[in-house]
Amino acid sequence: MQSSRRLFLAASTAAATLLAAASPASASAVGYGKVGSFCYSVKGVNLCAPGATIGHFIQGHGRTITRQEASVQDVFGADTGGGKWCNWRIDWRYADADGETYLRSKGDMHYSCSFVTSVGRVDSSRRTLKHYGKACAEFFAGGEKRGSQCHNIIE
């Protein structure tokens, strides 16, 4: 499932390029943000490993979003979630041009730990934003925000 998410994000990038060329009224974007490193203790020594990335694909036109996807992936290309993530979710957050959040769509909470399994969210519900500004994917695990990626939604 990990490789299918990675393949989908790559295919989405190609499709977004084609859609942008074929239909000037539509817009798509793919972006990646940093997910912090994770640390653990071995025989009293604290070790930290590189983190992961959060990929965010968004599709729509104007203030209307027709599809969003986000997934967390390791930085090595090994098709893992990039860490042991427990009690995780991915939210969509929308902010106006001044950066003020006016809407949050919370993702489902996954009450388990994912290490080699998929960490992601797909949402094909149609949503018209109240304001131009930003649309963000935010990754939470273990009760903390671990990373985010945002797209500017402008006129």
Side-chain angles (χ1 to χ4, degrees), residues 51-148:
T53 60
I54 180 169
H56 181 208
F57 167 76
I58 189 168
Q59 185 174 33
H61 57 278
R63 291 182 295 126
T64 301
I65 295 173
T66 56
R67 185 174 184 86
Q68 286 188 88
E69 298 187 21
S71 65
V72 176
Q73 301 166 0
D74 67 88
V75 295
F76 301 111
D79 278 342
T80 72
K84 184 176 181 182
W85 306 115
C86 299
N87 302 321
W88 64 269
R89 74 173 199 265
I90 296 175
D91 293 354
W92 309 137
R93 182 179 63 82
Y94 306 99
D96 62 21
D98 294 325
E100 295 295 319
T101 298
Y102 63 87
L103 178 63
R104 177 178 297 276
S105 171
K106 286 188 175 184
D108 293 337
M109 179 63 81
H110 297 266
Y111 295 102
S112 61
C113 295
S114 299
F115 184 67
V116 200
T117 57
S118 178
V119 175
R121 178 180 180 189
V122 176
D123 183 356
S124 57
S125 59
R126 186 178 184 90
R127 176 176 283 121
T128 300
L129 303 180
K130 188 175 176 181
H131 305 284
Y132 285 103
K134 288 187 178 186
C136 303
E138 295 185 328
F139 174 57
F140 293 84
E144 295 181 34
K145 182 174 148 184
R146 304 297 180 150
S148 66

Side-chain angles (χ1 to χ4, degrees), residues 6-75:
R6 188 172 297 227
L7 179 61
F8 179 80
L9 282 173
S12 297
T13 303
T17 303
L18 290 174
L19 281 174
S23 176
S26 296
S28 299
V30 176
Y32 295 89
K34 179 183 173 189
V35 175
S37 62
F38 57 96
C39 300
Y40 52 94
S41 181
V42 176
K43 295 183 181 181
V45 177
N46 196 33
L47 301 172
C48 294
T53 60
I54 180 169
H56 181 208
F57 167 76
I58 189 168
Q59 185 174 33
H61 57 278
R63 291 182 295 126
T64 301
I65 295 173
T66 56
R67 185 174 184 86
Q68 286 188 88
E69 298 187 21
S71 65
V72 176
Q73 301 166 0
D74 67 88
V75 295

